[in-house]
Amino acid sequence: VRNANKLDSSLFSVSPKERARAVKQYRSLLTSFLNGNKEILRGSLEKDSGKLVLLSAGNVPRILPPKSEIFDIAIFLDAESIPPAEALPAILRAKKTVLIGDSALPPYAAPIPAHLSSILAFALYKGAPNGFLSLDTKHAHPVLFEFANEETYDGRIKALPQPTSAPAACISVRVEDSPERAIAEAAVIHAEHHPKESLGIIVFSEARLSAIRKELDALLQRHKDCEAFFDQKDAANGFYIKTPENAVNDYRDTLLVFAEVTPAITTPGLGTKLINLCATHAMGELRIFTSEALQKPSASGNPGLRAYWKWLQYANSAPRKKVYSGNSLVSPFIERILEVLDGNKLALETNWGFR
């Protein structure tokens, strides 16, 4: 330490003010890193706004002329939700097409042959080249997507390091006699104490959706000051109550889920996707309510049912879990440093994904 201090006297004596400045600089660099491509695109569009046309896929044939190769490239967002026939007009008007979506999420359409459920599924079925976007910056903690990461994405999703390896307290499971009322009460409390944070409620049947709305309306009669929170018209961040099929890509800071076994859960090809959606769409906190006693994951032949009980067990034990291991964002150089330090029998806080 003395020798290092001779080279740089500030190395072990950084003032609080200087440390705060360095932290601010780090956060600024991190933001620039994560948003670099977006800023380049924004600068290009400011010079020539005609380069970009934003349309829903269904409006393309109604608004654009029937000519091929109008655009250099057509980019489809949420491609897992767009039927092939609806995507075709835009594809024919572009030289190239890029589909961005998640084939592990449920399609909007009613159950049909898997390869025809969306333009993304059809492209993958036809052998279109594809890549995997592995860096997650949406969730506040890796524990919020770890279940889906291990069960669906083969551990390929990576996240930037957490400041601590302490277990996260952002997932909970509650067994209630009346989950509908418990969810309505939790929603009102959220509106009272966290009005600036978005909220969503997911249920597995229309009957439960109606029951929760009824309970919520009754509570709002006594909490008039919260009505504005539940009347938001913001589609991107406003409050919602939906079934999983209708909540694709509707991420919220806090997600309340009424978990129960329904025919949708046991439907082949759909049940696992519904569970995957519930396991990934909470960005800050996931709270699960159920009236069913928790069971150990069974060796059921039904993939959806097996995934359902496995997810509940994971969520029930999540508050005691540490950050998952195996973060490939850590370089071999840092791995070597940790090996050397470990060889000197030092106590290490290994919160970067190492065991």
Side-chain angles (χ1 to χ4, degrees), residues 309-327:
W309 289 114
K310 199 169 184 178
W311 172 58
L312 286 187
Q313 286 295 333
Y314 167 82
N316 192 46
S317 63
R320 299 183 293 278
K321 286 181 175 290
K322 289 192 174 185
V323 180
Y324 67 90
S325 61
N327 194 330

Side-chain angles (χ1 to χ4, degrees), residues 27-315:
R27 288 176 176 168
S28 176
L29 289 171
L30 184 61
T31 300
S32 299
F33 168 71
L34 296 175
N35 298 316
N37 289 338
K38 186 168 66 176
E39 292 304 317
I40 293 174
L41 177 60
R42 181 180 301 179
S44 176
L45 293 177
E46 286 176 352
K47 294 178 182 178
D48 184 0
S49 60
K51 287 183 177 179
L52 178 67
V53 177
L54 297 175
L55 286 173
S56 64
N59 285 332
V60 168
R62 185 173 60 85
I63 295 176
L64 298 179
K67 295 181 180 179
S68 62
E69 300 189 352
I70 297 175
F71 301 106
D72 293 313
I73 187 169
I75 301 175
F76 290 83
L77 301 180
D78 305 336
E80 77 284 345
S81 304
I82 303 174
E86 192 172 308
L88 193 59
I91 292 174
L92 294 175
R93 287 167 170 79
K95 297 177 182 178
K96 295 181 179 180
T97 298
V98 174
L99 307 176
I100 300 175
D102 187 350
S103 59
L105 293 178
Y108 283 121
I112 55 177
H115 69 283
L116 296 177
S117 62
S118 70
I119 185 60
L120 179 62
F122 185 71
L124 292 174
Y125 173 75
K126 286 294 185 178
N130 63 88
F132 188 83
L133 302 178
S134 62
L135 179 61
D136 178 88
T137 60
K138 189 184 295 292
H139 299 88
H141 196 283
V143 76
L144 287 163
F145 64 81
E146 184 182 2
F147 175 81
N149 192 29
E150 296 301 322
E151 295 295 319
T152 304
Y153 303 110
D154 300 320
R156 292 182 294 168
I157 299 177
K158 307 300 178 185
L160 293 170
Q162 292 291 307
T164 173
S165 62
C170 48
I171 300 182
S172 63
V173 180
R174 286 171 53 183
V175 178
E176 298 278 351
D177 292 333
S178 177
E180 296 95 335
R181 181 167 184 80
I183 289 175
E185 290 174 346
V188 170
I189 291 173
H190 176 95
E192 288 178 330
H193 296 282
H194 308 286
K196 293 184 178 180
E197 296 181 7
S198 58
L199 175 69
I201 298 176
I202 290 181
V203 296
F204 287 93
S205 70
E206 292 293 336
R208 299 300 189 190
L209 190 153
S210 299
I212 291 175
R213 282 197 180 279
K214 185 177 179 179
E215 292 283 356
L216 189 56
D217 289 343
L219 284 175
L220 289 178
Q221 294 298 315
R222 304 195 301 272
H223 297 270
K224 295 288 186 179
D225 53 325
C226 294
E227 287 184 337
F229 178 87
F230 296 100
D231 288 336
Q232 298 176 64
K233 305 302 180 184
D234 183 358
N237 297 298
F239 168 75
Y240 71 74
I241 307 178
K242 296 181 178 180
T243 57
E245 301 95 318
N246 295 316
V248 175
N249 291 312
D250 285 340
Y251 294 87
R252 291 298 184 265
D253 293 318
T254 296
L255 197 63
L256 310 179
V257 179
F258 187 152
E260 61 179 336
V261 176
T262 63
I265 293 294
T266 58
T267 300
L270 179 63
T272 53
K273 292 187 175 184
L274 300 182
I275 299 303
N276 184 65
L277 183 143
C278 294
T280 56
H281 278 42
M283 297 187 294
E285 183 178 11
L286 172 64
R287 301 175 64 186
I288 303 170
F289 300 77
T290 182
S291 60
E292 302 165 334
L294 297 182
Q295 300 179 17
K296 290 184 178 181
S298 65
S300 170
N302 186 285
L305 194 60
R306 189 166 60 247
Y308 172 82
W309 289 114
K310 199 169 184 178
W311 172 58
L312 286 187
Q313 286 295 333
Y314 167 82

